[in-house]
């Protein structure tokens, strides 16, 4: 596991966390109108911020969030919990198995089937009964104080959509299909387009580059991508 060279990742993580909390707090009190474009913009924004929480936890697994290892892992634990009560201690070994055995039978993220069977396999790897129970308890407590429709549309729906975002751009597209023998990371990569790469999945679509340089935090992956492109 690589170590962070600076604490910039802490400020990046705090920005994502604060934006997620602020946007969610605003949305949960929003006058929900399905004919308003603002409703759908809020859903998309919260989906993207949910994905940011997971990407932050992912970077913590590689030790690239904070120079202090305890703080690094604390942020990883916190952002994992915010992402629908995922448990960092459970995610950590699975993710490192993915890197060690990428696109093989030992890779927990890999499945040779079609999109839907692969997505279901992906969910089975990371969903557990405790998450479901904690979500159910939280939902029933929160609905005493907040509109039920808002909780479903702005709290639950974006969490589900972000799993699709993470799976599609961060697992399915990079690792599907056959890879050339010299592709040691068995991974594809998005074309060079930093705006789309950020919007689609926080540069995580630059996936070959991530496997080649797992010690690079998400917000610097574009530099690795440019380096690879110019060296071709």
């Amino acid at each position: 596991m690589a170590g962070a060279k600076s604490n910039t990742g802490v400020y990046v993580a705090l920005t994502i966390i604060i934006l997620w909390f602020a946007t969610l707090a605003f949305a949960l009190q929003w006058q929900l109108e399905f004919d308003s474009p603002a409703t759908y913009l809020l859903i998309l924004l919260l989906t993207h911020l949910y994905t940011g929480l997971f990407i932050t936890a992912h970077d913590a697994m590689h030790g690239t969030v904070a120079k202090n290892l305890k703080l690094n892992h604390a942020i990883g634990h916190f952002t994992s919990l915010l992402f629908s009560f995922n448990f960092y201690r459970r995610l950590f070994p699975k993710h490192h198995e993915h890197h060690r055995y990428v696109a093989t039978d030992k890779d927990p993220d890999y499945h040779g089937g079609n999109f839907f069977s692969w997505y279901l396999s992906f969910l089975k790897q990371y969903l557990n009964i405790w998450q479901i129970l904690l979500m159910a308890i939280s939902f029933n407590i929160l609905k005493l104080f907040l509109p039920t429709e808002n909780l479903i549309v702005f709290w639950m729906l974006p969490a589900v959509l972000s799993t699709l975002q993470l799976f599609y751009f961060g697992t399915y597209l990079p690792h599907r299909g056959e890879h050339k023998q010299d592709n040691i990371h068995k991974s594809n990569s998005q074309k060079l387009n930093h705006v789309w790469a950020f919007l689609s999945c926080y540069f995580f679509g630059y996936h070959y580059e991530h496997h080649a340089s797992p010690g690079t935090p998400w917000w610097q992956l574009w530099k690795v991508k440019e380096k690879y492109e110019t060296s071709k």
Side-chain angles (χ1 to χ4, degrees):
M1 184 178 67
K5 296 178 181 179
S6 73
N7 281 321
T8 304
V10 176
Y11 303 116
V12 173
L14 287 174
T15 299
I16 291 171
I17 292 167
I18 291 168
L19 284 173
W20 179 80
F21 268 118
T23 307
L24 182 60
F26 173 79
L28 289 177
Q29 298 176 70
W30 174 264
Q31 183 62 47
L32 184 59
E33 297 177 358
F34 288 106
D35 58 350
S36 171
T39 295
Y40 301 96
L41 287 173
L42 273 173
I43 292 171
L44 288 174
L45 178 57
L46 281 163
T47 298
H48 192 63
L49 290 169
Y50 260 112
T51 299
L53 292 176
F54 188 88
I55 295 294
T56 300
H58 160 270
D59 274 15
M61 295 174 211
H62 288 289
T64 61
V65 174
K67 291 173 70 175
N68 181 285
L69 198 58
K70 287 185 178 180
L71 176 59
N72 177 84
H73 289 319
I75 292 172
H77 281 285
F78 186 55
T79 50
S80 294
L81 285 172
L82 292 180
F83 190 82
S84 304
F85 295 104
N86 273 275
F87 300 109
Y88 185 74
R89 290 184 185 277
R90 189 167 180 267
L91 294 174
F92 189 97
K94 284 182 177 291
H95 185 66
H96 285 280
E97 284 174 14
H98 166 65
H99 276 266
R100 189 176 298 115
Y101 305 113
V102 62
T104 68
D105 292 341
K106 293 182 179 180
D107 180 354
D109 292 359
Y110 184 74
H111 184 76
N114 60 35
F115 175 87
F116 295 103
S117 64
W118 193 337
Y119 179 58
L120 287 174
S121 173
F122 182 80
L123 290 180
K124 286 178 184 177
Q125 287 291 334
Y126 294 100
L127 273 177
N128 63 76
I129 188 63
W130 290 108
Q131 282 177 266
I132 296 169
L133 285 173
L134 287 168
M135 286 290 288
I137 292 168
S138 299
F139 178 80
N140 281 286
I141 292 172
L142 288 171
K143 75 177 185 179
L144 298 174
F145 308 98
L146 296 162
T148 300
E149 294 82 2
N150 287 50
L151 285 169
I152 294 170
V153 171
F154 296 123
W155 183 50
M156 298 177 71
L157 179 60
V160 173
L161 291 175
S162 68
T163 66
L164 274 168
Q165 183 180 5
L166 285 159
F167 170 72
Y168 185 72
F169 291 105
T171 298
Y172 179 71
L173 285 183
H175 296 299
R176 66 174 177 169
E178 296 293 325
H179 301 283
K180 293 180 180 179
Q181 194 170 5
D182 61 350
N183 186 338
I184 59 173
H185 302 300
K186 297 179 183 178
S187 175
N188 301 311
S189 186
Q190 284 182 349
K191 291 183 179 179
L192 188 69
N193 184 322
H194 295 330
V195 174
W196 174 240
F198 170 71
L199 291 175
S200 62
C201 204
Y202 292 79
F203 302 119
F204 211 49
Y206 293 159
H207 210 75
Y208 182 92
E209 291 75 16
H210 166 59
H211 277 267
S213 182
T216 300
W218 73 262
W219 42 274
Q220 289 189 331
L221 267 178
W222 65 272
K223 295 180 181 179
V224 181
K225 177 67 173 179
E226 286 192 340
K227 181 180 177 181
Y228 271 82
E229 290 293 317
T230 55
S231 66
K232 288 181 179 179

